[in-house]
Amino acid sequence: MSAVPEVGSTVGGGGSIERGPVARLVGAVGSGVVQAVLVFVAIFWLVPTFGLLIASFRAEADNNASGWWTVLTKPAQLTLENYQNLLQNDTITHSFLNTIYITVPATLLVIILASLAAYAFAWLDFPGRDWLFIVVVGLLVVPIQVALIPVAQLFGTLGIFGTRLSVILFHVAFGLPFAVFLLRNFFAGIPRDLLEAARMDGGSEWTIFRKVILPLGLPAIASLGIFQFLWVWNDLLIALVFASSDAAPLTVALQSQVRQFGANIDLLSSGAFLSLIVPLIVFFSFQRYFVQGVMAGSVK
């Protein structure tokens, strides 16, 4: 007896199975959803972002007189004067350096501490390991707002309130629970045979961590680094609470410009893209590792 084609399929020439009307309908609906998502992203993210970029290259008088789309017919409106004025603004340049001084240590400390803790939770046996990991996971649900006043009082007692160090320590403390949770789950998926072979060769725990765990865990570590960098770089709430005017990052400086001058779109738009360019460089530099880290564990 000849094989019966599946429901929704027809036998085509040469014995090949063609997609039936149901399958074609499902495929059409799926492609339609993808197209709708792309249109949504273009309308609600790409278009406003492109408009802000164009506005950053237009003079203040042109921005006040007409919309950014008029540059499509009058390209002579484009100028670099806004960025020249921005780079000559001492408040903006100082806050930009503060953002780097805060973000880089807060990211590196979280990566280092979380990697060590995740290896211990995944592969070392010590009393209370599981309960301690449950506590770490439980800290994920603690909102930042709950700790603002107690931590501010603690930093005031220690004499570091208002400094860049206080902002860094707060970011590290609240970034560690998620970082440990993420890396621990990734490290636990590494085959035990690799670690046992390294121990049989006389490798210490530090050697195993440095030569086995870190190379295999690089995608997850890179993904964590991107997440932490973006969170700290774009933060406003913590910087508003813990940083003084001298230690304020770029987000606070731009917010203060809104409060002082209101609708100075030329300065705000150029400052926003100055704040955007560094995260874009970091993301595209580590994009390959980021994709690997996101996909890790999805396919066994």
Side-chain angles (χ1 to χ4, degrees):
M1 297 178 61
S2 59
V4 178
E6 296 180 359
V7 176
S9 300
T10 59
V11 180
S16 60
I17 303 298
E18 297 181 355
R19 298 175 64 190
V22 176
R24 289 196 296 269
L25 177 60
V26 173
V29 172
S31 62
V33 171
V34 172
Q35 293 175 1
V37 171
L38 293 178
V39 171
F40 178 84
V41 171
I43 294 177
F44 292 96
W45 190 84
L46 292 180
V47 172
T49 303
F50 180 74
L52 188 63
L53 175 62
I54 296 300
S56 68
F57 286 100
R58 300 177 72 211
E60 182 179 4
D62 293 331
N63 284 322
N64 293 333
S66 60
W68 62 267
W69 51 87
T70 58
V71 77
L72 299 177
T73 57
K74 299 179 180 179
Q77 295 178 355
L78 299 178
T79 177
L80 294 176
E81 183 180 357
N82 293 339
Y83 286 93
Q84 293 174 353
N85 296 334
L86 182 73
L87 295 178
Q88 294 174 359
N89 189 315
D90 293 337
T91 301
I92 296 296
T93 54
H94 182 69
S95 62
F96 181 80
L97 294 177
N98 283 337
T99 307
I100 297 177
Y101 296 151
I102 292 172
T103 305
V104 174
T107 302
L108 293 178
L109 285 174
V110 167
I111 291 175
I112 294 172
L113 297 177
S115 299
L116 294 171
Y119 174 69
F121 282 123
W123 294 109
L124 298 183
D125 293 326
F126 56 88
R129 183 188 66 175
D130 295 337
W131 286 106
L132 185 58
F133 183 69
I134 292 175
V135 172
V136 172
V137 174
L139 291 175
L140 290 172
V141 302
V142 178
I144 293 178
Q145 294 81 355
V146 172
L148 290 178
I149 295 179
V151 175
Q153 293 176 343
L154 175 62
F155 287 165
T157 303
L158 297 176
I160 61 174
F161 182 81
T163 64
R164 288 193 294 262
L165 178 60
S166 63
V167 182
I168 293 172
L169 291 179
F170 194 95
H171 280 299
V172 171
F174 273 84
L176 277 176
F178 173 76
V180 173
F181 175 76
L182 175 68
L183 294 184
R184 184 265 177 191
N185 291 338
F186 188 91
F187 291 168
I190 296 176
R192 180 181 294 271
D193 295 342
L194 294 177
L195 280 69
E196 295 298 335
R199 292 190 177 97
M200 292 178 62
D201 291 339
S204 62
E205 295 297 337
W206 170 248
T207 302
I208 295 173
F209 173 76
R210 184 167 51 90
K211 294 186 176 182
V212 178
I213 298 296
L214 288 184
L216 295 177
L218 184 59
I221 294 173
S223 300
L224 171 64
I226 292 175
F227 281 127
Q228 180 69 11
F229 187 92
L230 295 179
W231 287 336
V232 179
W233 185 275
N234 296 319
D235 168 70
L236 175 62
L237 175 62
I238 298 173
L240 278 175
V241 175
F242 292 98
S244 63
S245 58
D246 187 59
L250 187 57
T251 51
V252 176
L254 293 177
Q255 188 271 342
S256 65
Q257 297 296 325
V258 175
R259 184 174 62 248
Q260 292 178 6
F261 301 107
N264 52 342
I265 188 62
D266 54 325
L267 177 63
L268 296 177
S269 58
S270 56
F273 274 90
L274 178 64
S275 177
L276 178 66
I277 187 170
V278 174
L280 282 179
I281 293 174
V282 171
F283 178 80
F284 286 111
S285 299
F286 295 94
Q287 182 183 17
R288 177 167 60 92
Y289 297 107
F290 176 76
V291 174
Q292 293 177 3
V294 171
M295 297 299 296
S298 60
V299 179
K300 296 295 183 181

